[in-house]
Amino acid sequence: MNKIIILDFGSQVTQLIGRRLRELNVYCEIYPYNKMPDLDGSVKGVILSGSPCSVRDANAPQVDLSMVKGKFPLLGICYGAQYLAHHFGGKVEGSLAREYGRAMLDVTRPDSPLLEGVKVHSQVWMSHGDTISRLPEGGVAIAETADVPYAAYQIVGEPTFAVQFHPEVFHTEEGSKILANFALGICGCEGDWTPDSFIETTVAALREQLGDDKVILGLSGGVDSTVAGVLLNKAIGHNLTCIFVNNGLLRKNEYEDVLASYQDMGLNVIGADASRAFLDALAGVTEPEAKRKVIGRLFVETFDQYARKIEGARWLAQGTIYPDVIESAGIPGIASKIKSHHNVGGLPKEMNLQIVEPLRMLFKDEVRRVGRALGIKEELVGRHPFPGPSLGVRILGDITEEKLRILREADDIFIRGLRAYDCTGMGFRSASDPRVEATNLYDAIWQAGVVLLPIRSVGVMGDERTYEHPVALRAVVSTDAMTADWFPLPYDFLGEISNEIINRVRGVNRVVYDVSSKPPATIEWE
């Protein structure tokens, strides 16, 4: 399978380069700039990402391009463009023509392979404090803006190209065309990386990797673990055993509903009800990271207890996806690790299992596409993401059975309301498949839930004063959870849901709606 390598210099939107290429059915992999992979025959091109750093800084990230430049098609983006200029005979200066946000690009060399078919005048997205004042050796300008004469350039005699803007972001109108010109035209990628091809190659690879070994998978009811389970089932059949742990923090009726949803899928699912142990261990624990550690520790202990009953098991399968890997990695000194994920980074040694991750290189929407190609029912493929610590990170402060009751009831009303609200004709696209229009609010939203706040507020019910909990509704749209925007729920819907929650959920007298995006907020409150 041919692919493009993306070297990440710490830009917050590096993963968008990968997403845009995957949308072209071109396979790509993202690596930290200081961990260049082997450039074997499958590599068709290399992209250098942007960065918050300046190439003029003494500690700016450096990469040896001796095996890349002139030998593989190469595209520098923002910092990548400046890096090529700075290190190959050009000059980069600060404070000459800083550009942030929208700018208008004028194509000066429409015969350039990178800009073939691109409109001669279009909007691009800039984000650079430095600017290139002299092109590298052999460089010729191919596009400019009003303030930047070298907004894009190429090197004569070799397939090296560079742009000072970000073609990967939505605001660059011709960005997808530019990336297509590079990947499909200059690099010669075939654009044949589809869900069906992924299934075929992954199932074959799993059969070769696992042989006749037995594998255990932790199911959660979410799309990632479900798709991983079905892929493994196709590869090894009865040698797969799935375990679904009830940590006592699941949504209303979720344990029973999830087990029922898998009954006809042949996944050999075992239910492990450890709810009492989790709630006892969490009693009085208030600090968010402490709660996560308790939940994570008990999950491993519970999972291990049941896994040991499966004689001869050698592998643990996980639904790890690409954003989990990217967020958990970070680049020391440049891109911070946002958080640790429970399914990234291995297992306690005493479990004595090897890890297999069939979805490790997929984004969430790609997982859904693979799930649909596998014939998995839509209620599972289109299910919203749910945090590993479950409602434990939606109850701020200590966790009690009474708080869980309140949150479960409020969350159930909210989610059922989203599913029931007809939004046909409102212009909302399906969050799990943007190619189609959503028919209800649940399908239009990436992730939704209710948060129970650790305060009380005064209210009036009937003729009596109340002093009860407020809850916050949260609904966001995203493509991979690395960035997210709050969803514009209709006012009539908010009014109806607020009224129903306050009237029906004992212990709640106020409902608020969270209109924060990520960043600066996160999707979950803890």
Side-chain angles (χ1 to χ4, degrees):
M1 175 171 54
N2 54 52
K3 62 187 176 185
I4 289 178
I5 298 299
I6 302 168
L7 293 183
D8 182 12
F9 289 90
S11 169
Q12 290 185 338
V13 293
T14 296
Q15 52 90 18
L16 286 180
I17 305 173
R19 290 196 49 75
R20 296 293 174 259
L21 292 176
R22 298 280 185 91
E23 289 168 0
L24 297 168
N25 294 329
V26 172
Y27 183 68
C28 60
E29 295 177 358
I30 300 173
Y31 291 89
Y33 73 92
N34 56 354
K35 295 183 179 179
M36 173 88 77
D38 293 334
L39 301 178
D40 56 28
S42 67
V43 177
K44 297 299 182 181
V46 177
I47 294 177
L48 309 181
S49 83
S51 174
C53 302
S54 167
V55 296
R56 299 178 298 111
D57 293 343
N59 59 348
Q62 309 283 325
V63 61
D64 181 4
L65 295 177
S66 60
M67 299 303 295
V68 178
K69 188 175 179 294
K71 300 177 175 64
F72 290 86
L74 179 61
L75 174 62
I77 294 176
C78 196
Y79 178 91
Q82 295 170 358
Y83 187 91
L84 290 171
H86 184 70
H87 288 274
F88 294 96
K91 188 175 183 180
V92 177
E93 299 183 64
S95 304
L96 287 179
R98 299 186 178 198
E99 284 189 315
Y100 295 97
R102 293 175 176 83
M104 297 308 297
L105 183 76
D106 290 311
V107 174
T108 56
R109 291 286 298 270
D111 59 331
S112 168
L114 187 68
L115 302 180
E116 182 181 351
V118 173
K119 291 188 296 187
V120 295
H121 188 67
S122 66
Q123 176 183 283
V124 296
W125 187 263
M126 293 284 192
S127 181
H128 62 92
D130 292 344
T131 194
I132 298 168
S133 59
R134 184 175 70 238
L135 291 176
E137 184 178 348
V140 294
I142 58 177
E144 64 187 14
T145 70
D147 296 318
V148 177
Y150 307 132
Y153 64 89
Q154 67 184 61
I155 305 298
V156 175
E158 63 182 63
T160 299
F161 302 83
V163 295
Q164 288 204 78
F165 55 90
H166 287 273
E168 69 273 28
V169 304
F170 174 78
H171 303 291
T172 297
E173 294 174 343
E174 297 282 82
S176 292
K177 177 62 177 174
I178 293 170
L179 290 174
N181 284 342
F182 179 72
L184 301 175
I186 296 166
C187 296
C189 292
E190 297 176 3
D192 58 356
W193 194 69
T194 64
D196 287 335
S197 68
F198 173 82
I199 292 168
E200 181 180 352
T201 57
T202 300
V203 169
L206 288 171
R207 285 175 180 156
E208 181 177 352
Q209 179 183 12
L210 302 174
D212 292 327
D213 292 348
K214 290 185 178 180
V215 179
I216 305 169
L217 169 68
L219 275 179
S220 67
V223 63
D224 300 335
S225 63
T226 300
V227 172
V230 174
L231 282 170
L232 285 159
N233 181 257
K234 286 178 70 69
I236 62 173
H238 67 276
N239 280 337
L240 172 68
T241 300
C242 302
I243 299 174
F244 177 41
V245 175
N246 181 3
N247 59 14
L249 305 169
L250 302 178
R251 290 165 289 196
K252 186 176 180 180
N253 299 326
E254 184 168 24
Y255 183 58
E256 297 78 11
D257 290 346
V258 168
L259 288 177
S261 68
Y262 287 122
Q263 282 183 351
D264 60 348
M265 296 179 65
L267 295 183
N268 190 21
V269 182
I270 297 173
D273 189 351
S275 53
R276 187 71 267 157
F278 275 83
L279 295 181
D280 288 346
L282 286 166
V285 181
T286 60
E287 200 274 324
E289 190 63 21
K291 288 194 289 186
R292 286 180 177 271
K293 288 180 178 178
V294 169
I295 295 167
R297 173 179 59 81
L298 280 176
F299 176 85
V300 170
E301 291 176 1
T302 303
F303 195 90
D304 188 37
Q305 174 188 344
Y306 281 80
R308 288 180 185 276
K309 298 176 183 179
I310 302 170
E311 186 176 350
R314 294 188 55 192
W315 297 84
L316 174 72
Q318 297 186 145
T320 309
I321 63 174
Y322 211 13
D324 296 341
V325 177
I326 296 170
E327 280 197 341
S328 294
I331 300 177
I334 302 176
S336 300
K337 178 163 66 174
I338 297 171
K339 59 183 175 181
S340 59
H341 289 262
H342 69 280
N343 58 344
V344 176
L347 291 168
K349 292 181 180 179
E350 59 268 21
M351 289 192 73
N352 197 32
L353 295 172
Q354 300 178 73
I355 294 178
V356 56
E357 299 169 318
L359 309 177
R360 185 179 178 86
M361 300 307 293
L362 295 187
F363 291 101
K364 176 74 77 172
D365 62 320
E366 293 171 330
V367 176
R368 297 190 198 278
R369 290 173 62 196
V370 169
R372 292 187 176 99
L374 286 166
I376 298 173
K377 47 195 170 188
E378 190 62 29
E379 67 185 77
L380 290 171
V381 174
R383 200 163 188 246
H384 287 183
F386 189 55
S390 309
L391 299 182
V393 291
R394 293 182 181 174
I395 295 176
L396 307 193
D398 67 318
I399 297 169
T400 67
E401 293 194 50
E402 172 63 8
K403 290 180 180 179
L404 282 166
R405 178 196 65 78
I406 292 172
L407 184 54
R408 284 190 179 114
E409 293 298 329
D411 182 82
D412 183 60
I413 291 171
F414 184 36
I415 298 301
R416 283 192 296 103
L418 291 172
R419 291 186 183 277
Y421 193 97
D422 185 355
C423 66
T424 304
M426 297 179 69
F428 295 136
R429 313 303 292 176
S430 169
S432 65
D433 188 354
R435 295 169 298 178
V436 301
E437 185 178 4
T439 58
N440 62 71
L441 288 175
Y442 183 90
D443 288 342
I445 291 167
W446 166 269
Q447 185 169 342
V450 179
V451 180
L452 181 64
L453 304 184
I455 57 174
R456 293 180 184 270
S457 67
V458 174
V460 176
M461 289 185 178
D463 294 324
E464 296 183 358
R465 176 182 182 274
T466 62
Y467 192 55
E468 296 177 339
H469 290 282
V471 296
L473 308 182
R474 183 75 160 137
V476 299
V477 285
S478 181
T479 52
D480 47 40
M482 299 190 73
T483 60
D485 290 322
W486 62 276
F487 185 84
L489 288 173
Y491 287 142
D492 63 327
F493 172 82
L494 285 171
E496 291 169 6
I497 292 300
S498 173
N499 188 60
E500 186 173 357
I501 289 175
I502 292 171
N503 284 337
R504 294 184 54 188
V505 182
R506 178 170 43 85
V508 175
N509 66 355
R510 191 178 299 268
V511 176
V512 299
Y513 186 46
D514 182 351
V515 293
S516 309
S517 295
K518 175 186 180 181
T522 54
I523 295 176
E524 301 295 338
W525 280 43
E526 287 192 342

